[in-house]
Amino acid sequence: MNHFRGILLLVAGCFALYQGWKIHTGSHALGAFGLGLLAIAVGVWRLTRKEPPRLV
């Protein structure tokens, strides 16, 4: 599940960066760039961290 969420966050981050690039001016563009970078960072973190042990 973490890999799926990581890939989904990478896609969402790329989409946010693309939307920021299309706007490219103003505070909305900065917000899109910030959210895009944050989503990509969390996606990479989810893909690279060790899987927690199962409780069941």
Side-chain angles (χ1 to χ4, degrees):
M1 190 66 177
N2 280 332
H3 290 290
F4 176 72
R5 289 178 183 166
I7 292 170
L8 189 63
L9 278 167
L10 288 177
V11 170
C14 290
F15 180 73
L17 288 176
Y18 172 70
Q19 291 298 319
W21 182 260
K22 277 183 23 180
I23 298 169
H24 74 273
T25 57
S27 63
H28 293 291
L30 290 177
F33 286 135
L35 286 175
L37 291 175
L38 180 66
I40 289 173
V42 172
V44 168
W45 175 72
R46 282 198 174 267
L47 288 173
T48 58
R49 73 178 184 159
K50 197 167 103 174
E51 193 75 29
R54 298 217 175 232
L55 298 175
V56 176

